[in-house]
Amino acid sequence: MMSRQAFLCSLGSLYLSLLFIFLLMDVYARPANNSALKEKPADSKDENEILPPDHLNGVKMEMDGHLNKEFHQEVFLGKEMEEFEEDSEPRKNRKKLMVIFSKVDVNNDKKIGAKEMQRWIMEKTDEHFQEAVEENKMHFRAVDPDGDGHVSWDEYKIKFLASKGFNEKEIAEKIKKNEELKIDEETQEVLDNLKDRWYQADNPPPDLLLNEEEFLSFLHPEHSRGMLKFMVKEIIRDLDQDGDKKLTLSEFISLPVGTVENQQAQDIDDDWVKDRKKEFEEVIDANHDGIVTMEELEEYMDPMNEYNALNEAKQMIAVADENQNHHLELEEILKYSEYFTGSKLMDYARNVHEEF
């Protein structure tokens, strides 16, 4: 005969089992979305394959007008940037940085000059370009289902909505029949912006079809002079408060970063304004007249501008040039490793001579 304690334990186990089954039934019974066209949440990887990236490697300003905080690291490390992020062991990072130093120092005089750094920046920027080209080939195949080498706006629109969780077959059928799509306001706004960008990437004569090269311009506007102009217009449109298609310092630093609720948030805002003010006055405003034109912003944004690369090289050297000889020695780069690589190295001086 079962004891009272055993019976209570058995009853408790049964209760927990029934409760677990009930919760499962409740989860699976809930509708995923109110839209009849929605099928399942999009896989982020699939979505990223066809959406233009928010961040462009080697470009000084983001698409939304914010400064690229990792620009110096991107043009100094190139594809090796991920290795420094993944491997935080100081000794290994120190050795990697020493190898990079030796590659930049092409004349082997144990110091890096502005021309050497300029050459390196251009090389690393081109490295990012080639990476984007290779990725574009894969992405283009994903949106060119019939493999004819051209993608229409409707073909892209179907793939985009499918990546957002809509039923691809139903969307395709409705577009074919020119029926209204039930799309939420946020998704529709994204689509409208993408359509404008699609038309800009369509080189003359316009046929509303993008080939692989035009699709690269659509995803990576930094690869096309025309798309670079379009990106600059979008940034100025977002920041320009008086509609004169130019930017004053006050307009450039007025982009909000969030509501200031405490002193820590205030400090973040102050640092943000300080960084933008310095970039505006010392770099973007080329003639120092207090106004940034579209032409000036376009030159600033162009990642393959050799003059910009030389200026950037001089700025990067100035940051760590402690002995003021206008060159960088290995010890200086190791000491300022966080600026160049995002990785802070400890005891850099003690190991430099014995390892290099």
Side-chain angles (χ1 to χ4, degrees):
M1 186 175 178
M2 183 182 294
S3 66
R4 176 181 174 83
Q5 184 176 1
F7 173 78
L8 290 175
C9 288
S10 176
L11 188 62
S13 298
L14 179 62
Y15 171 79
L16 289 174
S17 298
L18 289 172
L19 178 61
F20 180 70
I21 292 171
F22 173 80
L23 289 173
L24 281 177
M25 290 174 66
D26 181 57
V27 168
Y28 287 111
R30 295 171 191 162
N33 195 288
N34 292 330
S35 172
L37 296 175
K38 281 288 187 99
E39 160 177 83
K40 61 180 180 179
D43 182 86
S44 58
K45 183 178 179 182
D46 292 338
E47 183 179 335
N48 289 336
E49 285 182 351
I50 60 173
L51 266 178
D54 292 329
H55 173 73
L56 303 173
N57 287 326
V59 180
K60 299 193 76 170
M61 189 175 285
E62 306 286 7
M63 302 286 286
D64 60 2
H66 285 71
L67 299 179
N68 177 6
K69 293 294 186 180
E70 297 182 339
F71 175 76
H72 302 118
Q73 296 157 30
E74 290 169 357
V75 297
F76 186 74
L77 297 177
K79 292 189 296 186
E80 295 178 2
M81 188 173 175
E82 292 182 2
E83 295 181 18
F84 277 85
E85 291 176 352
E86 294 171 1
D87 183 6
S88 59
E89 188 177 336
R91 188 179 182 84
K92 287 185 178 180
N93 284 345
R94 187 167 52 246
K95 287 183 177 180
K96 290 176 186 175
L97 196 48
M98 290 175 180
V99 170
I100 291 175
F101 180 91
S102 66
K103 290 179 179 178
V104 184
D105 180 24
V106 290
N107 63 4
N108 297 314
D109 64 352
K110 307 301 181 185
K111 57 186 178 181
I112 295 173
K115 285 289 185 180
E116 288 175 315
M117 184 67 86
Q118 177 197 30
R119 179 198 64 82
W120 182 257
I121 288 173
M122 295 297 292
E123 185 178 314
K124 295 294 106 178
T125 301
D126 185 65
E127 204 171 87
H128 287 303
F129 268 37
Q130 295 309 316
E131 188 177 18
V133 169
E134 291 303 312
E135 289 178 355
N136 182 68
K137 291 179 181 179
M138 177 183 66
H139 299 163
F140 186 76
R141 287 195 296 268
V143 295
D144 182 24
D146 52 16
D148 64 354
H150 294 85
V151 179
S152 69
W153 168 249
D154 282 346
E155 284 179 321
Y156 177 80
K157 184 177 180 179
I158 291 168
K159 290 294 183 182
F160 167 76
L161 290 174
S163 76
K164 301 291 286 184
F166 290 85
N167 185 295
E168 185 171 343
K169 289 183 179 180
E170 290 184 27
I171 286 289
E173 189 66 25
K174 284 184 175 290
I175 288 178
K176 184 179 180 180
K177 294 179 180 179
N178 201 27
E179 295 180 5
E180 183 182 356
L181 302 178
K182 295 180 180 179
I183 301 174
D184 59 273
E185 186 176 340
E186 183 180 352
T187 302
Q188 185 60 55
E189 184 178 351
V190 173
L191 264 178
D192 291 341
N193 291 334
L194 289 174
K195 191 173 184 179
D196 289 342
R197 188 164 171 166
W198 184 274
Y199 287 171
Q200 289 293 326
D202 184 17
N203 292 328
D207 56 6
L208 301 185
L209 300 172
L210 299 192
N211 58 28
E212 188 173 313
E213 183 179 349
E214 291 168 330
F215 193 71
L216 175 64
S217 297
F218 171 71
L219 291 183
H220 288 272
E222 77 276 20
H223 283 252
S224 161
R225 195 70 188 184
M227 286 299 289
L228 197 63
K229 288 179 181 290
F230 176 71
M231 185 164 64
V232 166
K233 287 179 181 177
E234 291 287 289
I235 290 174
I236 286 188
R237 184 196 66 186
D238 291 341
L239 302 181
D240 180 22
Q241 296 175 6
D242 58 12
D244 64 354
K245 298 181 180 180
K246 300 175 184 178
L247 296 180
T248 62
L249 176 59
S250 62
E251 287 173 328
F252 190 70
I253 65 176
S254 65
L255 189 64
V257 295
T259 303
V260 177
E261 296 178 347
N262 51 46
Q263 186 58 48
Q264 184 178 5
Q266 181 65 61
D267 292 341
I268 293 173
D269 273 19
D270 290 345
D271 289 342
W272 183 83
V273 168
K274 181 180 176 182
D275 289 343
R276 291 182 74 84
K277 185 175 186 293
K278 181 179 180 182
E279 196 74 6
F280 182 97
E281 294 177 338
E282 298 181 11
V283 185
I284 310 177
D285 182 15
N287 61 0
H288 305 293
D289 65 350
I291 299 291
V292 165
T293 63
M294 284 192 178
E295 291 75 21
E296 285 177 320
L297 189 57
E298 188 178 328
E299 290 301 310
Y300 170 80
M301 293 283 286
D302 184 3
M304 295 307 290
N305 185 315
E306 293 188 7
Y307 177 75
N308 281 355
L310 181 59
N311 279 340
E312 187 62 35
K314 292 176 180 178
Q315 289 181 51
M316 291 174 74
I317 289 173
V319 166
D321 183 21
E322 290 194 336
N323 60 12
Q324 298 295 300
N325 67 348
H326 306 293
H327 287 75
L328 288 182
E329 280 78 32
L330 178 60
E331 290 90 341
E332 291 171 328
I333 283 189
L334 290 172
K335 183 174 182 179
Y336 289 85
S337 63
E338 193 167 12
Y339 174 80
F340 293 99
T341 71
S343 174
K344 192 171 184 178
L345 305 181
M346 306 303 291
D347 300 326
Y348 67 93
R350 186 178 64 187
N351 299 279
V352 61
H353 295 294
E354 62 187 50
E355 292 183 6
F356 189 66

